[in-house]
């Protein structure tokens, strides 16, 4: 089972897996969760643990420290993270990794 889809092919597989388990799923929601979950995974990896959190809202990902204080934001490269993911998920993930590193290094 796919935990965190990293491209549109994996999104479609995840939707099929969820439907097979009897869950209704919406592609837009699965993409949203994939973007947010990938950002959190990259953040956890860079900090070597789950110390900070992030939240996707529209075309911005906000990163929060351990006391839930916002420490930085990442804007999508184009119209939205949804559009970026659909157009080229790998490029978006590389961008996210770079931008998360920038935010962490500024703290």
């Amino acid at each position: 089972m796919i935990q965190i889809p990293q491209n549109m092919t994996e999104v479609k597989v995840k939707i099929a897996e969820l439907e097979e388990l009897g869950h209704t799923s919406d592609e837009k929601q699965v993409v949203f969760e994939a973007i947010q979950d990938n950002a959190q995974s990259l953040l956890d990896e860079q900090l070597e643990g789950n110390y900070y959190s992030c939240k996707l809202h529209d075309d911005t990902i906000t990163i929060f420290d351990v006391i839930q204080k916002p420490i930085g934001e990442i804007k999508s490269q184009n119209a939205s993270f949804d559009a970026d993911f659909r157009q080229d998920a790998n490029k978006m993930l590389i961008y996210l990794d770079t931008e998360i590193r920038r935010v962490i290094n500024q703290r």
Side-chain angles (χ1 to χ4, degrees):
M1 180 163 214
I2 293 178
Q3 295 296 319
I4 303 174
Q6 295 193 351
N7 56 49
M8 286 307 294
T9 300
E10 290 183 5
V11 165
K12 292 179 188 330
V13 171
K14 175 90 175 182
I15 291 169
E17 289 173 347
L18 289 170
E19 288 175 354
E20 191 173 295
L21 295 171
H23 302 286
T24 56
S25 56
D26 173 75
E27 183 178 272
K28 187 171 180 77
Q29 183 63 31
V30 173
V31 168
F32 176 88
E33 290 170 2
I35 295 164
Q36 186 161 292
D37 291 349
N38 275 294
Q40 185 66 52
S41 178
L42 290 167
L43 185 59
D44 292 349
E45 183 179 307
Q46 288 184 25
L47 293 173
E48 298 179 358
N50 191 355
Y51 302 104
Y52 288 10
S53 61
C54 62
K55 178 117 175 116
L56 172 62
H57 185 265
D58 295 328
D59 68 338
T60 304
I61 293 175
T62 305
I63 298 177
F64 300 91
D65 67 10
V66 293
I67 58 171
Q68 295 304 302
K69 177 183 169 194
I71 62 163
E73 292 184 340
I74 302 168
K75 298 281 187 185
S76 62
Q77 289 182 289
N78 298 300
S80 67
F81 278 107
D82 182 87
D84 292 349
F85 186 88
R86 291 172 187 275
Q87 183 177 1
D88 188 341
N90 191 48
K91 181 179 174 185
M92 188 212 70
L93 292 173
I94 292 168
Y95 169 74
L96 267 182
D97 188 53
T98 302
E99 289 300 297
I100 289 170
R101 191 173 316 280
R102 176 189 58 78
V103 170
I104 290 171
N105 289 336
Q106 288 178 350
R107 63 182 165 107

